[in-house]
Amino acid sequence: MRLLLIHARRFSYEVVKPAVEEPEPLGEAGGSGAFENTLVVFTSVEKGDDESVVPGAVSEILSVFNQVKASSIVVYPYAHLSQDLAPPFEAVKILGRLYAALKEAGVEAYKAPFGWYKAFTLECYGHPLSELSRSVRRSE
Ligand SMILES: Nc1ncnc2c1ncn2[C@@H]1O[C@H](COS(=O)(=O)NC(=O)[C@@H](N)CO)[C@@H](O)[C@H]1O
């Protein structure tokens, strides 16, 4: 699993159109979201990833979240951080588990809808910890 973590003063997105056969239904959040002082976690699920990547990803994300003192986290499905992507039906499952685990950790977490082309606006704070990337391996 590859993560790109951006600490954003402002971040907003809006769905444009489906990008896969069966995009995730647009939940109560609808097809758009707007956030301030948030940690955007662009996430690529990689071939071979299984649920065992989730605890490591949560630990990496919460460590940065606490250091930068963001007020929320947005899990953003992103298919451009790896050449070795998991297929959509696997990716959506693991992204859902990551989102659930972050909420279980008691942080204000949101998830952008999977399988949609989305327009987004991102205003990065630019401080030294505001742009980080992590790679999380499944546990053997
Ligand atoms: N392995 C993955 N990790 C994260 N998001 C993914 C992954 N696979 C698909 N997605 C989601 O599905 C959308 C489209 O994925 S894609 O790889 O860009 N394109 C496709 O899958 C093609 N079938 C259609 O374009 C992405 O924007 C993302 O929301």
Side-chain angles (χ1 to χ4, degrees):
M1 174 179 270
R2 299 301 308 268
L3 305 173
L4 173 64
L5 302 102
I6 306 288
H7 184 201
R9 185 189 314 277
R10 252 185 290 282
F11 172 68
S12 60
Y13 73 85
E14 186 156 16
V15 298
V16 173
K17 64 178 185 176
V20 295
E21 285 290 298
E22 290 170 41
E24 192 175 8
L26 299 176
E28 69 280 4
S32 64
F35 311 90
E36 290 188 353
N37 182 26
T38 194
L39 182 65
V40 189
V41 184
F42 294 94
T43 307
S44 287
V45 181
E46 295 183 289
K47 208 167 274 152
D49 284 348
D50 60 20
E51 298 215 357
S52 71
V53 301
V54 171
V58 169
S59 156
E60 293 288 353
I61 293 166
L62 292 184
S63 165
V64 175
F65 175 75
N66 292 321
Q67 284 180 79
V68 302
K69 297 185 178 38
S71 54
S72 61
I73 294 171
V74 182
V75 177
Y76 194 91
Y78 200 67
H80 312 291
L81 301 175
S82 168
Q83 306 306 315
D84 207 13
L85 289 177
F89 78 94
E90 274 176 25
V92 68
K93 217 170 33 186
I94 292 177
L95 282 156
R97 279 296 310 128
L98 174 60
Y99 169 62
L102 287 166
K103 286 175 74 85
E104 280 155 25
V107 299
E108 190 182 329
Y110 302 92
K111 185 167 68 72
F114 180 99
W116 293 85
Y117 292 116
K118 297 180 282 299
F120 68 77
T121 303
L122 178 64
E123 197 182 314
C124 173
Y125 276 104
H127 62 69
L129 294 179
S130 62
E131 300 170 280
L132 297 168
S133 66
R134 295 286 187 271
S135 182
V136 182
R137 294 263 163 268
R138 58 183 283 192
S139 40
E140 295 309 318

